[in-house]
Amino acid sequence: MSRIVTVGAAQLGPIALNEPRKDVVQRLIALLEQGAAHGCDLVVFPELALTTFFPRWYFEQQEQVDAFFERSMPGPDTQALFDAARRLKVGFYLGYAELTEEKGRTRRFNTSILVDQNAEIVSKYRKIHLPGHAEHEPWRRFQHLEKRYFETGNLGFGVCRAFGGIVGMAICNDRRWPETYRVMGLQGVEMILIGYNTPVHNPPAPEHDNLSHFHNELVMQAGAYQNGTWVVGVGKAGREEGVDQIGNSIIVAPSGEIVSACSTLSDELSIARCDLDLTVSYKSSVFNFSKHREPHAYGMIVERKGAIISV
Ligand code: CDT
């Protein structure tokens, strides 16, 4: 018997700085409706999908930053998306900026949620690998201030049972780190959902700019294959406030092959029928972890943060 989940990678074109949340939500609903019309069970949106990618600016006032954050989910602007999901019977992954009060302290995270076909939130993830910098660096053509505006996620890389399988989440830069996939792989993950905002140009290493698509595909294809899991990667695309975003949204099978891909730099839905049972032959042969892994030799991965050269 096969376990098919029909998934839509819902890429977004640029979101303008002054674009109202309600308008963005209408774009998301249009993609959800397309997904429903094509039989999708689940639609995956990018990281920080409700606003422009605001960490590209240095803001002096905290209230300017906080204007990009959601204080409840669903909230006044996002309720319509949840209503649409319930009406259409399509679940979704959504990335957004989360502002929450915990033990009297205001905390800010780069967050994603997984919402089921009854519009219930079934899982939450808070981004762990925050790229960029914490201080204003005016030499850059644009900033990447995630380390200033967000705290490191405190929920780990969990998985949950949803859509008939075992599903995990990650956000953007997480996808470049093998640990992200392996921690979920060790919990039997069958599908990993990843939203991103990746500029073509990386100010500290412009020599890599022409490889941005290659690296995007490389990391997700490797993560899928090495853990015998589906990976759905969905980006922001096109020129957003003068910055080119790669888009390059893809659905990767447990073989490591790309089975579906967006081809524009706009709002676009790319769909694949993902058989979760395709994970089995990888998880039970070459990547049968309990048979072939050698954890006694991997201690340094958790004991050491940076490389230390001692030879
Ligand atoms: N949003 C985010 O995490 N973006 C980073 C940019 C790093 S530049 C190579 C990313 O890993 O895509």
Side-chain angles (χ1 to χ4, degrees):
M1 218 183 76
S2 57
R3 290 182 295 143
I4 306 284
V5 188
T6 303
V7 181
Q11 177 172 285
L12 289 175
I15 299 177
L17 177 59
N18 62 1
E19 191 165 337
R21 286 273 218 299
K22 273 195 173 9
D23 293 4
V24 179
V25 167
Q26 287 308 312
R27 289 168 60 182
L28 304 185
I29 291 172
L31 288 161
L32 210 63
E33 284 171 344
Q34 267 190 50
H38 289 89
C40 288
D41 303 297
L42 169 65
V43 160
V44 180
F45 297 113
E47 173 192 36
L48 300 176
L50 299 170
T51 67
T52 198
F53 187 74
F54 62 90
R56 75 166 66 91
W57 290 285
Y58 175 74
F59 294 105
E60 295 277 353
Q61 306 298 327
Q62 188 60 48
E63 64 249 41
Q64 293 175 289
V65 181
D66 286 350
F68 296 99
F69 281 74
E70 307 302 312
R71 284 155 174 82
S72 58
M73 189 56 69
D77 295 325
T78 46
Q79 183 62 52
L81 181 63
F82 284 72
D83 294 344
R86 193 176 301 108
R87 171 171 55 85
L88 299 166
K89 290 266 162 250
V90 181
F92 61 88
Y93 162 111
L94 177 74
Y96 66 99
E98 178 192 13
L99 191 152
T100 182
E101 301 291 332
E102 277 179 14
K103 295 183 185 148
R105 189 156 80 84
T106 302
R107 309 194 68 177
R108 297 172 186 82
F109 297 102
N110 187 341
T111 295
S112 62
I113 46 170
L114 182 63
V115 174
D116 70 11
Q117 288 159 296
N118 299 314
E120 300 294 336
I121 297 175
V122 291
S123 186
K124 179 184 275 192
Y125 168 72
R126 290 171 171 161
K127 185 174 183 178
I128 289 175
H129 298 100
L130 295 173
H133 48 109
E135 300 306 324
H136 190 206
E137 295 184 3
W139 62 267
R140 292 173 181 252
R141 190 154 71 71
F142 52 87
Q143 305 293 296
H144 197 119
L145 285 159
E146 286 194 63
K147 285 193 193 293
R148 184 178 192 87
Y149 297 149
F150 300 114
E151 285 185 61
T152 303
N154 59 355
L155 301 176
F157 290 109
V159 300
C160 70
R161 283 200 183 271
F163 300 94
I166 303 176
V167 182
M169 295 187 278
I171 301 179
C172 198
N173 192 262
D174 288 323
R175 76 194 188 287
R176 302 188 193 275
W177 301 89
E179 295 86 349
T180 296
Y181 305 88
R182 184 49 53 91
V183 170
M184 290 189 267
L186 286 166
Q187 299 168 81
V189 76
E190 295 173 310
M191 180 175 282
I192 300 178
L193 313 174
I194 308 175
Y196 44 91
N197 278 269
T198 298
V200 174
H201 172 56
N202 183 21
E207 63 276 21
H208 304 162
D209 289 358
N210 66 338
L211 298 171
S212 57
H213 285 70
F214 169 66
H215 289 154
N216 181 53
E217 294 175 5
L218 176 71
V219 291
M220 291 193 283
Q221 291 184 260
Y225 170 63
Q226 291 172 342
N227 294 279
T229 180
W230 288 88
V231 172
V232 182
V234 184
K236 190 88 72 64
R239 184 158 300 175
E240 188 179 88
E241 298 294 348
V243 176
D244 289 319
Q245 304 278 341
I246 62 168
N248 194 205
S249 305
I250 53 174
I251 300 178
V252 186
S255 61
E257 294 166 290
I258 296 171
V259 297
S260 183
C262 287
S263 57
T264 70
L265 292 175
S266 317
D267 292 10
E268 180 184 350
L269 193 72
S270 169
I271 299 171
R273 293 176 77 249
C274 304
D275 182 352
L276 299 180
D277 283 338
L278 284 181
T279 61
V280 174
S281 67
Y282 293 93
K283 289 184 189 295
S284 60
S285 61
V286 63
F287 295 118
N288 181 334
F289 290 168
S290 53
K291 194 166 175 190
H292 302 302
R293 287 184 77 249
E294 298 292 353
H296 67 89
Y298 309 152
M300 232 181 254
I301 286 180
V302 288
E303 285 152 16
R304 197 174 271 192
K305 183 167 160 108
I308 298 171
I309 296 167
S310 56
V311 289

